[in-house]
Amino acid sequence: MASTADYKDRQFLAVIGDEDSVTGLLLAGIGHVTDPPDSQKNFLVVDNKTETSAIEAAFESFTEQRKDIGIVLINQHIADKIRHRIDTYTAAFPTVLEIPSKEHPYDPEKDSVLRRVRRLFGE
Amino acid sequence: MSGAGDREAVFPTRQSLGLMKSKLKGAETGHSLLKRKSEALTKYVEPVPMAMQRFREITRRIDEAKRKMGRVMQVAAFSLAEVSYAVGGDIGYQIQESARQARFRLRTKQENVSGVLLPAFESYQTEGNNDFGLTGLGKGGQQVQRCRETYARAVETLVELASLQTAFVILDEVIKVVNRRVNAIEHVIIPRTENTIKYINSELDELDREEFYRLKKVANKKQRDTAAADAELKKKMEAENKENAGSGGGQAADILAENEDDDVIF
């Protein structure tokens, strides 16, 4: 179960997305780079050349290693690349949120949470 | 029969019968409580204050918010396109490089829904730190400003959605656990305890019957014994009476003179 310590310090958002989404969200002010020794960014820009393993590594670091992230935003078309990871991710913190991107409109059929909702109500 | 069915390993005594009965009562109470909890969490039973969002309500709102998010993100993407057009080039790289400290942060608070603590995110913006002060300084500053505002609103929507989603994930988990317990109590613990009670009752009955039979036996035997003893006594007394009557006055006969003793040979 989620205890207080689990989410008390989670004050940042993280984003894995294409350049436009990341740029926009950074412009809104969610970008954060930790203090110099390790300087971890809380965002990852994914383009056609980005390896799936790099996406997976970023997802893992945002969801498992870092304890200061409360919400992970991920473009839906990128989430599709690591769909198995997203679908098997069931922890409450951080929350993984699939967001649409400019070229890929949002498809509720693919969303892992909405699929869980539907499964629960047997629709 | 008594041994049939799943039951607990207990000795069939009155004490454990009492224990089992109170256990059954406890299980039934727990079952009804848990069932009510599960129903309260699952259904949106009655209109409740906004702070107490129930499960169905939450899922409905998730669906709604996801759709809203689609629209908001579209508007935001469009305003970003405007920025690129106005600035006359890509600002993505510049922005990624100048991101230092998050202006947009989260705060978490808790809500209590039927004893389940649901965390909720709340976004806030820290003042006086602006990583992008120079972006759009040359041209397109207005568009950049508008884009920032649009995205800030979009992020607020996303944060709201994330809260709902977290609540959903936690509630989903809790409901599963509660339902599992309800089922376990209903289909395992209650029948098992009932079986045990039945078993203990039948064993106790059996013991009762055995005890009764034994007592009956004992009584029978005693009766027979007393009857035999009575008969013997009676016989003895009769014999004595006869002897007394037969010998009459020869009572004081010399016992030494009577009947020569046999020789004792070792």
Side-chain angles (χ1 to χ4, degrees):
Chain A
M1 258 316 8
S3 66
T4 315
D6 233 13
Y7 56 81
K8 211 178 64 199
D9 302 326
R10 297 184 183 275
Q11 52 168 336
F12 299 120
L13 292 99
V15 54
I16 302 174
D18 60 15
E19 185 164 359
D20 281 348
S21 307
V22 173
T23 307
L25 291 169
L26 290 190
L27 211 49
I30 68 162
H32 190 86
V33 182
T34 51
D35 288 334
D38 41 314
S39 303
Q40 281 181 310
K41 291 174 179 171
N42 67 341
F43 52 91
L44 174 76
V45 177
V46 176
D47 55 26
N48 293 332
K49 285 167 279 181
T50 311
E51 303 262 339
T52 311
S53 59
I55 303 173
E56 257 181 79
F59 182 73
E60 205 172 293
S61 109
F62 291 157
T63 52
E64 281 162 30
Q65 284 155 24
R66 292 188 60 168
K67 299 290 174 213
D68 55 351
I69 290 175
I71 303 175
V72 178
L73 303 169
I74 182 164
N75 273 145
Q76 201 173 33
H77 70 279
I78 295 165
D80 281 341
K81 291 187 187 172
I82 54 166
R83 181 53 66 191
H84 61 285
R85 288 298 308 269
I86 308 263
D87 281 348
T88 49
Y89 178 79
T90 52
F93 289 100
T95 308
V96 174
L97 201 57
E98 292 177 32
I99 58 171
S101 61
K102 207 165 70 181
E103 295 91 29
H104 304 80
Y106 183 70
D107 179 6
E109 294 304 312
K110 287 180 185 163
D111 194 291
S112 61
V113 173
L114 285 184
R115 276 213 305 241
R116 261 172 87 176
V117 172
R118 267 192 291 281
R119 201 165 51 230
L120 200 79
F121 292 124
E123 285 157 16
Chain B
M1 259 304 284
S2 61
D6 186 25
R7 62 171 172 80
E8 281 170 50
V10 289
F11 287 113
T13 59
R14 258 170 229 290
Q15 191 189 6
S16 50
L17 180 67
L19 278 178
M20 282 298 132
K21 276 190 175 158
S22 60
K23 187 173 173 182
L24 181 65
K25 210 172 197 175
E28 273 162 1
T29 316
H31 178 259
S32 80
L33 277 176
L34 282 174
K35 191 129 195 166
R36 261 160 54 199
K37 179 175 178 178
S38 158
E39 273 163 11
L41 290 171
T42 313
K43 283 180 201 147
Y44 182 66
V45 192
E46 63 223 311
V48 285
M50 285 304 280
M52 293 266 284
Q53 296 301 333
R54 304 298 171 93
F55 197 55
R56 277 188 194 242
E57 177 72 356
I58 283 175
T59 53
R60 192 180 60 72
R61 284 186 26 180
I62 287 182
D63 213 57
E64 221 167 67
K66 290 243 169 182
R67 276 168 226 285
K68 183 178 164 200
M69 170 188 77
R71 289 195 301 275
V72 169
M73 291 303 284
Q74 218 166 358
V75 172
F78 186 70
S79 82
L80 186 66
E82 266 183 4
V83 169
S84 319
Y85 183 71
V87 175
D90 214 351
I91 56 163
Y93 183 75
Q94 189 194 346
I95 285 175
Q96 282 163 38
E97 282 310 304
S98 51
R100 282 286 163 271
Q101 287 287 315
R103 193 163 64 97
F104 211 104
R105 297 188 184 199
L106 300 170
R107 197 181 290 138
T108 46
K109 56 184 176 27
Q110 282 184 323
E111 284 172 17
N112 190 338
V113 175
S114 300
V116 182
L117 290 177
L118 293 181
F121 293 113
E122 206 179 50
S123 55
Y124 67 99
Q125 304 198 12
T126 52
E127 295 302 322
N129 101 38
N130 191 350
D131 293 337
F132 312 114
L134 298 177
T135 310
L137 193 62
K139 47 186 174 171
Q142 207 183 347
Q143 278 84 356
V144 170
Q145 198 55 39
R146 199 173 326 136
C147 182
R148 275 177 60 172
E149 280 160 17
T150 317
Y151 264 102
R153 275 202 300 281
V155 174
E156 271 166 26
T157 313
L158 293 179
V159 168
E160 195 184 315
L161 182 50
S163 301
L164 289 175
Q165 197 175 299
T166 317
F168 167 75
V169 170
I170 291 177
L171 272 183
D172 187 29
E173 195 113 317
V174 171
I175 286 174
K176 266 190 217 148
V177 169
V178 169
N179 281 346
R180 223 172 11 239
R181 280 195 199 139
V182 168
N183 281 340
I185 290 180
E186 193 174 329
H187 297 293
V188 180
I189 296 179
I190 288 183
R192 202 168 167 192
T193 316
E194 277 171 349
N195 265 340
T196 316
I197 289 176
K198 238 187 266 167
Y199 160 75
I200 294 176
N201 268 335
S202 75
E203 285 294 297
L204 286 180
D205 282 354
E206 182 71 30
L207 279 179
D208 266 356
R209 277 195 294 277
E210 243 170 56
E211 181 72 6
F212 182 65
Y213 183 71
R214 194 176 68 82
L215 287 177
K216 227 162 87 177
K217 270 277 194 208
V218 169
N220 268 347
K221 196 161 159 37
K222 266 192 181 151
Q223 215 172 3
R224 217 176 48 215
D225 283 357
T226 39
D230 278 357
E232 202 153 305
L233 205 67
K234 219 171 160 187
K235 233 159 114 191
K236 216 165 150 187
M237 270 163 68
E238 266 171 21
E240 245 166 54
N241 282 345
K242 219 186 256 171
E243 207 170 299
N244 283 351
S247 53
Q251 191 91 23
D254 182 11
I255 52 165
L256 289 176
E258 214 178 332
N259 298 337
E260 202 76 19
D261 279 349
D262 288 334
D263 288 337
V264 180
I265 300 160
F266 290 100

